[in-house]
Amino acid sequence: MKKVFLTVAVVFATCAVSAQTSVVKEAKSAKSDPVKAAQIIEPALSDPTTAGDPETWKLAGDFQKAIYDDENMKLYLPGGQADTTKLYNSLAKMFEYYMKCDEVEQAKVASGELKKPKLRKKLAKTLVSVRPNLTNAGSDAYNSGKYDAALQFFGLYCDAVTAPIFSDMDEVKNDTLVPLIANYATLAANSLKDNAAVIKYAEMGKNHKEEGYRALMCLAEVYKSDEAKDSIKWLAAIKEGVERFPNQEYFVGNLMDNYIQKGQVTEALAEIDGIIANNPSAYFLYVKGVLQYENKDYEGAIATLQQIVDKNDGFVAEAYSKMGDCYFFPGQDIEEANSQLAMDDPKYAEGEAKIKELYSKALPYYEKAKEIAPDNKALWGQYMLRIYWKLNRAEYEALEKELGY
């Protein structure tokens, strides 16, 4: 009885192998119609009896190459209309199947089943010839909002650098375009919120001299996110951004905020002075003014912020508002202290006089901020309202109505 069962099992196994082998043969016979042949061979790619044969994967890749070649030819024919979706999908599958073919063949060499690889050199040469079109595929997908497809194409381009199949191809290993394309892969991954892919490709992309800041921004945002929060790696990315791209406001602003939160304003001022020495932009001057304000160096802050007004090249309303803060908030401190005193206390009257003096000095700056940025009420609204409450109730009521309170 056991022999009968064993025989039946052997028969089934033999039939299964035979069935998948016949699928491969059928696909070969249909190669004149590569689309049909590609469909026929699909089952053989997931069946262990044929998926372990490098020739199966080569054949599947050959069909995709034929589809690709047919569509690509249409691009060069007068009046030709290529199906770019079909073109690019076959390109991606060609990469997938040929690289899998190489992987399976190398495994057989490692196990001693084959003495040496026979297909790698030819497959690598073929893929190198079509690899540049992966960037076109990625760009088309990205511009169409198909970020998953864009990530696939850009990723294939970048991953080729370390793929074993290209180990002898210097034109791939030394490809200077990879950091730029890695930035695009990072942006696509960022749109998909694929943190692992952002981290992977940002590490490649950050090395691009002009566009690398994009990769580092995305990397910092990942380490700032709830899903992958890591304050140490976030700060490292921000510092690297400042070092590599000192003109990018994103990195400098975040680094200065970090210094302020840690109470390291002196260190921040030293760093921003170095940055301003090379690029005295309105934003960096504003950052310095804010740091001086935080350090209670109000005179220094006003002097720095006045430079922004004089330059008249951005951040003018913000500069006026912050100059107002240099008088308003010290007045607030006195007002808070005064609230603890009895009204008949001589110090109370002194405090009230000082408050009115400081608020009177702050008001013109907030008025200028309002004049320049009337819609940005955060720069002037609440401050002017508080000042008017203290100095001019009629103006207070008019402003309260204007603000919609």
Side-chain angles (χ1 to χ4, degrees):
M1 195 66 175
K2 290 181 180 179
K3 290 183 179 180
V4 173
F5 285 142
L6 180 59
T7 304
V8 171
V10 170
V11 169
F12 279 140
T14 303
C15 289
V17 172
S18 178
Q20 292 309 317
T21 302
S22 66
V23 165
V24 174
K25 289 181 179 178
E26 183 184 355
K28 284 182 180 179
S29 66
K31 66 180 181 179
S32 59
D33 183 351
V35 173
K36 181 180 178 181
Q39 293 173 342
I40 294 172
I41 204 170
E42 276 295 320
L45 302 179
S46 56
D47 189 283
T49 58
T50 45
D53 184 352
E55 289 293 339
T56 303
W57 293 99
K58 180 184 181 300
L59 192 60
D62 290 345
F63 296 147
Q64 295 300 329
K65 182 178 183 300
I67 296 170
Y68 172 86
D69 289 341
D70 287 346
E71 292 301 323
N72 194 49
M73 182 62 69
K74 295 175 185 177
L75 296 173
Y76 301 96
L77 295 175
Q81 293 290 325
D83 183 340
T84 53
T85 299
K86 188 176 180 182
L87 173 74
Y88 295 144
N89 285 343
S90 62
L91 176 62
K93 287 185 177 180
M94 190 197 319
F95 261 80
E96 178 187 350
Y97 295 159
Y98 278 167
M99 291 174 77
K100 183 64 177 180
C101 171
D102 180 69
E103 178 188 324
V104 172
E105 186 180 55
Q106 291 297 319
K108 287 186 176 295
V109 172
S111 68
E113 192 174 341
L114 288 177
K115 288 185 178 181
K116 61 179 181 179
K118 300 177 182 179
L119 302 171
R120 170 173 282 191
K121 190 172 181 179
K122 181 180 179 181
L123 297 182
K125 187 176 180 180
T126 298
L127 292 178
V128 166
S129 69
V130 299
R131 180 169 169 260
N133 219 9
L134 286 169
T135 63
N136 296 328
S139 296
D140 281 5
Y142 189 91
N143 292 334
S144 299
K146 299 175 181 176
Y147 302 118
D148 52 346
L151 177 57
Q152 179 190 22
F153 294 125
F154 290 141
L156 280 170
Y157 188 93
C158 297
D159 293 345
V161 176
T162 55
I165 192 172
F166 301 115
S167 59
D168 296 326
M169 311 293 284
D170 289 340
E171 60 265 56
V172 176
K173 292 192 296 181
N174 302 325
D175 184 359
T176 57
L177 192 60
V178 168
L180 177 61
I181 304 305
N183 270 284
Y184 301 151
T186 303
L187 292 173
N190 188 62
S191 296
L192 296 168
K193 299 190 183 303
D194 185 341
N195 291 341
V198 168
I199 293 170
K200 175 182 178 181
Y201 294 112
E203 289 295 336
M204 300 182 195
K206 69 183 184 180
N207 297 311
H208 194 271
K209 290 183 178 179
E210 287 78 34
E211 298 295 318
Y213 72 92
R214 301 181 189 276
L216 278 170
M217 281 182 184
C218 292
L219 191 62
E221 288 299 310
V222 164
Y223 290 134
K224 185 181 177 182
S225 68
D226 292 335
E227 297 81 7
K229 189 179 290 291
D230 190 319
S231 58
I232 294 175
K233 290 182 178 179
W234 173 83
L235 185 56
I238 292 297
K239 285 185 174 180
E240 187 172 1
V242 171
E243 182 179 343
R244 289 176 179 266
F245 307 100
N247 293 334
Q248 287 296 326
E249 297 172 359
Y250 172 89
F251 301 112
V252 175
N254 273 283
L255 183 59
M256 296 303 115
D257 282 343
N258 183 71
Y259 278 130
I260 290 172
Q261 289 169 18
K262 292 182 177 179
Q264 299 172 335
V265 178
T266 303
E267 292 87 338
L269 281 165
E271 183 122 21
I272 198 66
D273 279 338
I275 292 169
I276 289 173
N278 295 314
N279 181 10
S281 73
Y283 175 74
F284 294 146
L285 286 170
Y286 179 72
V287 169
K288 179 177 180 178
V290 171
L291 289 170
Q292 290 171 308
Y293 165 82
E294 291 290 334
N295 213 28
K296 298 188 183 302
D297 177 11
Y298 300 124
E299 288 187 10
I302 290 170
T304 299
L305 295 163
Q306 184 61 47
Q307 292 180 56
I308 299 172
V309 173
D310 295 341
K311 285 167 70 74
N312 195 27
D313 189 27
F315 285 90
V316 175
E318 289 82 357
Y320 273 123
S321 177
K322 187 53 65 177
M323 283 193 276
D325 290 352
C326 291
Y327 294 107
F328 178 82
F329 283 100
Q332 284 272 284
D333 291 340
I334 297 172
E335 192 162 8
E336 184 177 345
N338 243 25
S339 68
Q340 307 298 317
L341 301 175
M343 294 183 69
D344 58 357
D345 188 322
K347 290 184 178 179
Y348 181 86
E350 291 176 16
E352 283 294 297
K354 188 63 177 176
I355 293 165
K356 289 179 180 180
E357 178 190 341
L358 290 169
Y359 282 1
S360 295
K361 288 181 178 180
L363 183 58
Y365 293 112
Y366 290 132
E367 287 175 335
K368 288 295 292 184
K370 180 185 179 185
E371 177 185 329
I372 296 167
D375 293 332
N376 193 351
K377 296 179 176 62
L379 293 178
W380 50 267
Q382 289 294 329
Y383 310 119
M384 289 180 66
L385 204 61
R386 180 60 190 159
I387 291 170
Y388 285 146
W389 175 263
K390 198 75 174 176
L391 302 181
N392 190 324
R393 291 297 174 90
E395 292 285 0
Y396 172 85
E397 291 172 2
L399 182 59
E400 187 179 43
K401 186 176 180 180
E402 181 183 341
L403 292 173
Y405 295 152

